[in-house]
Amino acid sequence: MDFELSEEQEQLKSEVQRFAENEIVPVAKEYDREEKYPWEVVDEAAEMGLLAPQIPFEYGGAGYDVLDTAIIVEELFAADPGIGLCLSSTGFGTEAILEYGTEEQKEEYLEPVAKGEAISGAAISEPDTGSDVSSVSTRAEKDGDEWVINGNKMWITNGSI
């Protein structure tokens, strides 16, 4: 079995490395010191198709497969884990929309994330269970025409943005 990257994957890796060296490394310390979100880097990453790279072309994404996406994330984190996480988490949860969402939901939510016009978030961690999603106690229940959500969360990924 061949475990080497293909020529296309090597090229992708090189392109992401170049992006990271030019767009992330020079500003990473500044963003850390100032504790600010790297909107400018997000915009540049969107131009390169690096936000939620697994989103298919028909929904405005780059259409990368799992291994390509892993290469992208690895190279972003190698440059700076803080900015790497900001970029790789913009599409946090889009996989669920791709797998289980309606066509209307896919059209409404996926393209803005891929283009950097929207950022998804996730509320998983709870005081008693951490991030063990199989043990969360928060529940959503239908009450007439509305959904009522009951529970507590500790952190919400991208909640502040």
Side-chain angles (χ1 to χ4, degrees), residues 14-15 21 23-25 27 33 36 39-40 49 52 63 76 90 94 103 106 108 113 115 125 138 146 160:
S14 293
E15 288 295 319
E21 289 169 9
E23 303 297 333
I24 296 175
V25 173
V27 298
R33 270 193 308 277
K36 64 181 193 173
W39 288 109
E40 296 83 8
L76 295 174
T90 60
T94 56
E103 190 59 34
K106 292 174 185 179
E108 181 174 352
V113 170
K115 289 184 173 184
S125 299
T138 298
E146 299 178 341
S160 64

Side-chain angles (χ1 to χ4, degrees), residues 122-161:
I124 297 171
S125 299
E126 295 185 346
D128 297 332
T129 61
S131 297
D132 177 5
V133 294
S134 66
S135 299
V136 296
S137 59
T138 298
R139 296 288 178 252
E141 298 175 1
K142 189 85 165 164
D143 183 11
D145 291 338
E146 299 178 341
W147 284 92
V148 177
I149 300 174
N150 292 307
N152 292 305
K153 297 296 177 178
M154 293 178 59
W155 301 285
I156 300 175
T157 301
N158 292 331
S160 64
I161 51 164

Side-chain angles (χ1 to χ4, degrees), residues 68-123:
D68 294 338
T69 299
I71 291 168
I72 291 167
V73 171
E74 183 176 57
E75 293 306 320
L76 295 174
F77 271 73
D80 182 72
I83 293 178
L85 180 61
C86 289
L87 299 177
S88 63
S89 70
T90 60
F92 204 48
T94 56
E95 297 88 352
I97 296 171
L98 280 167
E99 184 69 26
Y100 303 107
T102 65
E103 190 59 34
E104 292 79 21
Q105 290 168 329
K106 292 174 185 179
E107 290 172 4
E108 181 174 352
Y109 297 112
L110 297 179
E111 187 170 342
V113 170
K115 289 184 173 184
E117 297 167 357
I119 294 176
S120 59

